Amino acid sequence: MLMEKIPPRLCIRSKDISNITGYSMKKSREVLKNIHKLYKKEEHQIVTIHEFSKHIGVPVEQIEPFIN
């Protein structure tokens, strides 16, 4: 039986931002809030990996290995 690879998550969390950037959790939450404001998202809406990628200027392909 061939095992299919599970695709990475669509959303990014402050813990992921901390792991990727080395920022503290507090700074990571600030980055997440800034992205929310930039994309005019409401509090219940998620920030995607693609939006985070554009925000920090790093290709998605380099971010995906850090997403569990």
Side-chain angles (χ1 to χ4, degrees), residues 21-37:
T21 62
Y23 292 160
S24 67
M25 287 301 292
K26 182 178 179 180
K27 176 66 176 175
S28 298
R29 285 189 296 272
E30 288 175 13
V31 170
L32 207 51
K33 284 184 182 185
N34 288 339
I35 297 171
H36 260 95
K37 288 178 186 176

Side-chain angles (χ1 to χ4, degrees), residues 35-60:
I35 297 171
H36 260 95
K37 288 178 186 176
L38 178 68
Y39 287 98
K40 297 177 174 68
K41 290 182 172 272
E42 295 178 19
E43 191 172 324
H44 69 278
Q45 294 176 312
I46 64 170
V47 173
T48 67
I49 294 169
H50 293 278
E51 291 165 340
F52 174 69
S53 169
K54 287 181 186 176
H55 182 72
I56 65 168
V58 175
V60 174

